[in-house]
Amino acid sequence: MTLVICGLPMRDFEANRADIEGGYHEALNRAPAFADRIAAATSTGRLVGTAVENHFRVPYGPGWALVGDAGYLKDFITAQGIQDAFQDAELCARALDDAFAGRRAFDDAMRGYQQARDERVMQMHEFTADFAALEPPPPEMQRVLGKVAESQDTMDGFVRVNAGVTKPGAFFSDPRLMEAAQPVS
């Protein structure tokens, strides 16, 4: 069996909600050879469509704490969920240890956890939200992505951003890419 996933721009979600299968096939038809293969295949399950509401929650309260998607959810297009969950769990465990050991009050420790989480994920959250919109990038980003495609080094750097290894701000501040982002005169 093969799982086939396609995405539609968020702006089109409501319009496609009543006919998920039609929207799915319309998206696939943009790649006719692939659409033909899908049309010849036998479906073994139902088609599911969803929209992901990117959001942050306060990740703690009296007697409870949240990590990963429970406390901070972003579109799955950059596949950061499990990494976020592990990193949040580590930050949360440290905060709880501080609270239980009496080094900090629970609310102070957990507020610190929330602040550290938000600072750690904000750049990727914004990058993911922009990417997940499935809208054509603005002209300066198109120039930057064109520059990325010119060398294996910059392509690898872009992959590291998508893998959550490099923060978007660190990658996109590379002087070679900043130069490409400048308007052409």
Side-chain angles (χ1 to χ4, degrees):
M1 289 194 296
T2 302
L3 172 66
V4 178
I5 300 171
C6 74
L8 301 170
M10 286 294 290
R11 66 176 151 65
D12 296 342
F13 179 73
E14 287 302 323
N16 286 296
R17 184 178 224 153
D19 183 15
I20 293 172
E21 189 167 352
Y24 175 76
H25 288 291
E26 180 182 327
L28 291 176
N29 286 336
R30 293 181 191 135
F34 189 65
D36 291 344
R37 290 180 65 194
I38 297 298
T42 301
S43 179
T44 61
R46 67 185 185 96
L47 196 57
V48 178
T50 188
V52 176
E53 296 290 331
N54 301 305
H55 64 271
F56 286 84
R57 288 188 176 110
V58 173
Y60 67 93
W64 59 271
L66 303 173
V67 298
D69 289 349
Y72 150 65
L73 183 62
K74 67 177 168 289
D75 193 282
F76 40 79
I77 197 166
T78 52
Q80 299 292 304
I82 195 67
Q83 178 174 294
D84 285 343
F86 285 136
Q87 291 177 339
D88 286 0
E90 184 175 340
L91 290 171
C92 184
R94 288 181 183 163
L96 289 170
D97 182 56
D98 282 349
F100 294 153
R103 290 185 294 271
R104 295 173 74 185
F106 177 81
D107 284 343
D108 290 340
M110 297 308 285
R111 225 180 343 269
Y113 156 56
Q114 180 178 355
Q115 182 178 359
R117 177 206 63 182
D118 292 355
E119 287 174 6
R120 180 184 62 76
V121 301
M122 189 55 70
Q123 285 186 28
M124 194 60 171
H125 169 76
E126 292 170 350
F127 175 79
T128 300
D130 288 345
F131 191 33
L134 299 178
E135 296 292 341
E140 62 275 4
M141 181 57 84
Q142 290 179 27
R143 289 190 295 275
V144 166
L145 294 174
K147 188 72 171 176
V148 166
E150 290 177 4
S151 82
Q152 189 64 51
D153 181 51
T154 53
M155 283 188 273
D156 291 347
F158 188 69
V159 168
R160 283 191 294 276
V161 170
N162 281 283
V165 175
T166 302
K167 289 192 178 285
F171 175 74
F172 288 109
S173 65
D174 179 315
R176 296 170 295 178
L177 297 177
M178 296 296 290
E179 182 180 314
Q182 299 306 312
V184 178
S185 36

